[in-house]
Amino acid sequence: MCQGNNDIAMRPENHSNRQLDLFDLSRPSSGSSSAAHIAPIIPKDTTDEQLLELFPHASVGNVKALGEELRLRRPTGWQDAAVKLWDRFRGFGHSQPMPEQQVVLSLAEGPAHQVFFRSLLARGPVSECLEPDLLRAAAACRVPLPTTIVERGLAHRVADVRCDAVRNAMASNVPTEVLLPYLKDHIGFVRRAAAIALAEAGEPVAKASLLQEMRMRPSRSGLEALSSFVDEDVVIALGQIARKHPEWCSVVLELLEMIDHPMAQRVAAGLMG
C-alpha cells in the first residue's frame, strides 16, 4: 500500500494521541495572546542522558541533527535509542524512505556496528525504497543481505547504489559471473569495487583491471586483493606501485612478506635497500 500524499497523515507523530515533539515551541493556549515560548533544545548542548531520551521521539524536523550528535558521541546505550526510533516507523515509508529510517541506518558505519545492524534486520523486512540505504549500511558493516536485494541494487541507475551492491555481492551469494559486466561499468569507482570483489573471490579475470586501478590509486583493500594472485607479475607490480606511491611502501612490504613466491623477497629487499 503506497502512501503518496497521505504520508504525512500516516506518520506516527501525527496521530491524534501523539505527544508534542520535544523540540516544538510551546503553543499558546486558546484565548492567550502572551503565552511564553520554550526555547528549542540544541542537540550539542544536551547531556548524553538527554540525547538518549530525545532520539527515540525524534521528528522529521530534528532527526538529522539528533542523529548526527548521536553519531559523533555514541554514548552508552545509543543502539537501544536508535532501535526504539526504528521501531516507531516499522510499517511506514512504502513509497519513499522516511528520514527517521535513513538516519537510523546511517548510524551503521563499520564492522564494529554489525550487531546493531543485524538487530535492525532481525526486526523484519524493509520497503524496497529503503534498500539503497540498507545496501550502504550492509557494505560498511560487512553483513550479507538477501540476494534479491543485492541484485536489485546492481541494476540501480545510481552509481553509489551499484557500488554498494557490488561490495555486498560475494557475501550475499551473488554468482561471480553476475559481477563480470561491472568490470566495464561506465563509472570508475564501480569498476574498482567490482575488480576488488572478484579478486577477493579468486577470479583471475579481475587481475588486469585491479592492477590498473592500484597503479593509479592504491588502497589497502585493493592491494590485499591483488596480493591474493601469487604470481611473478603481481609481485613485480607491487614493487612498482610502492615506488610510484611511497606512502604505500610499508603496506606493500607487509603483503610481500606473506606472499609465498621467490620473487617476493627480492622485491622487498629492493624496496628496503
Side-chain angles (χ1 to χ4, degrees), residues 86 105 108 114 117-122 124-128 130-154 161 163-175:
W86 181 263
L105 284 173
Q114 281 186 359
F117 182 59
R118 288 181 187 276
S119 73
L120 299 181
L121 295 178
V126 300
S127 299
E128 188 171 326
L130 195 60
E131 288 179 359
D133 299 273
L134 204 65
L135 284 163
R136 184 216 57 79
C141 296
R142 300 178 189 173
V143 172
L145 290 174
T147 304
T148 53
I149 292 179
V150 178
E151 289 177 340
R152 281 195 291 268
L154 289 171
V161 180
C163 185
D164 288 331
V166 165
R167 293 172 61 199
N168 278 300
M170 294 297 96
S172 303
N173 297 317
V174 173

Side-chain angles (χ1 to χ4, degrees), residues 178-233:
V178 173
L179 282 191
L180 294 179
Y182 296 91
L183 290 172
K184 297 182 179 180
D185 193 277
H186 66 283
I187 300 297
F189 61 80
V190 178
R191 296 195 300 269
R192 182 183 183 88
I196 292 173
L198 287 166
E200 289 175 341
E203 290 293 325
V205 69
K207 188 174 79 170
S209 296
L210 191 53
L211 275 170
Q212 182 178 354
E213 290 291 338
M214 292 301 101
R215 286 188 173 114
M216 291 188 298
R217 195 179 71 216
S219 68
R220 173 172 279 276
S221 60
L223 291 171
E224 288 177 349
L226 187 60
S227 67
S228 66
F229 298 113
V230 183
D231 61 38
E232 186 170 324
D233 289 344

